[in-house]
Amino acid sequence: MNVEELVRESLREQADHGAPLPGDFAERVLAARRRRTARTLAGTSLAAVTAVVVAVAVPVLDREGGDQGVRPASELRRGDVVAHPGQTPPRELIAVGGTALAAYSTSALVEQPGGDQIVTRTYRLLDQKTGTYREDDRWSWLDVAPGMRTAAVLERDLPARRVGLLDLLTGKVERWIELDRGVGGVAFSPDGGKLVATTYAKNPDLLDMDRPIHDGKRERPGPSAPSRTGYYVIDVASGDSGWNAVRTKEEAFGLSEINTREDFAFSEDGTLVYSGLTSAPHQRYYDFEGRERSTPAQEKHLRSYTEARLSPDGRLAAGEFAGGARTTASEILDPATGKRVAKVPGQQLLAWADAKRLIAWDIEPGTSEYRQRLVLVTIGSDKTVPLSGYRSAKEDSAGRWTPVFADR
């Protein structure tokens, strides 16, 4: 496969995640593709489809028998696998162990004056009363807090000057946190007590016709130059925040060390924030006052693009693609040494369900790497349990959806 073909396929992959491509995309695509190289899955033994569990709201009674309201759907059947392998996009709750699909998004390219485009997401959030996913087109970006009672939301026009705290039981914004600078992304800390809000000078989802790329068929808008300026750390309870400027460094030949959208997130213990880098060391950490800090020992071998990261007990780390020409697999690492300690089925590890099980993307045997479904994989087993139906392999299709997971 030549570089032009790789660029075309990677464009589809990047668009699926809703993020514009870096300006030096063609130069980096060969290296980036090693973790998601297309594989044909043959002879894989799939576990029998798990029984579908329909989550319904249950009234919670007090000791006198009074109705204290509706129990959130995400709390039901906590110990079970809640799967809907016939649904894509999902219509009803998907969950395993302590992790649930809290929301998901689909993306479309919205035309702008001068030929520019904006990658525009539409979210479906879990309705905690019914256990179903409901469209909420008010938001351009969101993250869901542990416990799945609250989502942090940004309005449609980015960068946004306020962050909303959306009550997932009522569907109403309970409070707005006003900010002096525009933000393009938000993420909760592991305990849900803080938010990190990444600031940008312009919309990080803008595709600029003045910086075109060729997708193998035609010229199309490319990513604008990175405009990230820094980050806020926000106390959720009080709304107090402090902003820190972060300078984006340039690499050789004027290339940027970050992608156009490169949001900050919290370290595993919640004491630092970090963002990904386009080359080694792949991520950089800061304290809450904007000072650069050393990478925590347990996170030195993590990669920002491997979404699952550390297991809940901190003893294992999700690694990269480790399959072959006819199989998919991903590696599990010792976070202290970076050495592989196990392999599990699956194309890409997305979230830990518990200390031994993970939610992953995997592909339909004999098809494109883009025809994926959510599966449950277990360390020490070569079996997979389907959790959702297959995503469409077609670019710009409503059948392409991106999950948002949260602790329940």
Side-chain angles (χ1 to χ4, degrees):
M1 182 179 291
N2 60 34
V3 172
E4 185 175 87
E5 290 170 331
L6 285 175
V7 171
R8 183 169 64 253
E9 290 203 8
S10 294
L11 276 166
R12 180 186 297 181
E13 183 180 44
Q14 290 287 89
D16 178 55
H17 285 278
L21 302 167
D24 58 338
F25 180 74
E27 291 83 356
R28 290 175 176 158
V29 66
L30 291 174
R33 295 285 291 176
R34 73 182 185 275
R35 61 187 168 88
R36 294 182 193 169
T37 302
R39 297 289 187 246
T40 301
L41 184 61
T44 301
S45 176
L46 297 178
V49 175
T50 186
V52 174
V53 181
V54 179
V56 295
V58 176
V60 179
L61 303 180
D62 63 19
R63 293 178 181 177
E64 283 72 38
D67 185 354
Q68 290 193 341
V70 175
R71 183 180 178 187
S74 60
E75 291 185 358
L76 304 179
R77 312 289 296 190
R78 174 176 284 272
D80 294 332
V81 175
V82 186
H84 296 285
Q87 297 181 10
T88 185
R91 298 185 300 275
E92 298 167 273
L93 172 68
I94 291 175
V96 182
T99 299
L101 179 67
Y104 64 88
S105 66
T106 56
S107 298
L109 297 176
V110 177
E111 299 292 332
Q112 303 296 307
D116 295 345
Q117 297 174 326
I118 292 179
V119 178
T120 303
R121 299 169 196 81
T122 299
Y123 283 94
R124 279 81 174 173
L125 289 121
L126 180 68
D127 184 325
Q128 288 280 23
K129 294 181 180 179
T130 65
T132 60
Y133 296 99
R134 299 288 184 88
E135 181 177 324
D136 192 339
D137 63 3
R138 293 174 290 175
W139 319 121
S140 64
W141 189 267
L142 62 79
D143 191 34
V144 178
M148 297 176 58
R149 302 296 185 94
T150 303
V153 294
L154 299 180
E155 291 168 290
R156 274 293 173 198
D157 294 331
L158 297 179
R161 290 298 186 103
R162 61 181 186 174
V163 177
L165 297 176
L166 179 70
D167 187 323
L168 294 179
L169 286 172
T170 66
K172 297 179 180 179
V173 174
E174 295 298 316
R175 181 158 51 96
W176 291 101
I177 300 173
E178 305 288 341
L179 302 169
D180 294 331
R181 293 173 172 82
V183 302
V186 289
F188 277 100
S189 61
D191 65 0
K194 296 185 185 303
L195 284 165
V196 58
T198 306
T199 58
Y200 294 90
K202 57 185 177 182
N203 192 330
D205 298 324
L206 174 68
L207 301 176
D208 189 346
M209 199 59 197
D210 291 334
R211 296 166 58 91
I213 56 176
H214 202 282
D215 65 2
K217 295 181 180 178
R218 61 184 176 86
E219 194 172 76
R220 57 189 289 181
S224 55
S227 68
R228 193 183 72 182
T229 58
Y231 62 92
Y232 285 98
V233 175
I234 303 170
D235 182 80
V236 174
S238 67
D240 293 341
S241 64
W243 182 75
N244 302 292
V246 175
R247 183 174 65 88
T248 298
K249 301 174 184 176
E250 288 191 353
E251 298 178 334
F253 309 109
L255 304 176
S256 175
E257 66 176 352
I258 64 171
N259 294 317
T260 306
R261 173 182 281 280
E262 197 70 71
D263 294 337
F264 286 93
F266 283 92
S267 62
E268 298 296 310
D269 66 1
T271 63
L272 300 172
V273 299
Y274 73 94
S275 82
L277 301 172
T278 55
S279 58
H282 302 294
Q283 49 197 1
R284 183 174 293 134
Y285 288 76
Y286 299 85
D287 64 21
F288 294 170
E289 285 72 48
R291 296 180 291 248
E292 191 172 332
R293 295 299 189 188
S294 299
T295 301
Q298 290 293 91
E299 300 183 38
K300 285 185 177 180
H301 302 287
L302 300 179
R303 297 292 178 262
S304 60
Y305 49 70
T306 303
E307 297 178 38
R309 296 181 71 81
L310 289 181
S311 62
D313 60 8
R315 295 181 178 181
L316 298 171
E320 300 185 71
F321 183 85
R326 301 179 67 82
T327 59
T328 59
S330 294
E331 60 183 358
I332 303 296
L333 307 177
D334 178 339
T337 65
K339 293 182 179 180
R340 181 187 296 177
V341 296
K343 283 174 63 174
V344 292
Q347 180 193 24
Q348 183 184 358
L349 302 177
L350 301 174
W352 290 87
D354 51 39
K356 294 293 183 180
R357 298 182 297 170
L358 300 98
I359 300 171
W361 284 125
D362 207 2
I363 63 174
E364 183 176 16
T367 65
S368 160
E369 65 167 324
Y370 301 111
R371 186 162 173 77
Q372 305 152 308
R373 65 176 170 184
L374 295 180
V375 299
L376 175 65
V377 300
T378 302
I379 296 172
S381 171
D382 61 358
K383 305 294 185 182
T384 63
V385 177
L387 299 176
S388 76
Y390 288 104
R391 297 196 299 179
S392 169
K394 295 181 180 180
E395 185 178 6
D396 301 330
S397 166
R400 303 284 303 167
W401 48 277
T402 301
V404 178
F405 294 101
D407 294 341
R408 59 181 180 141

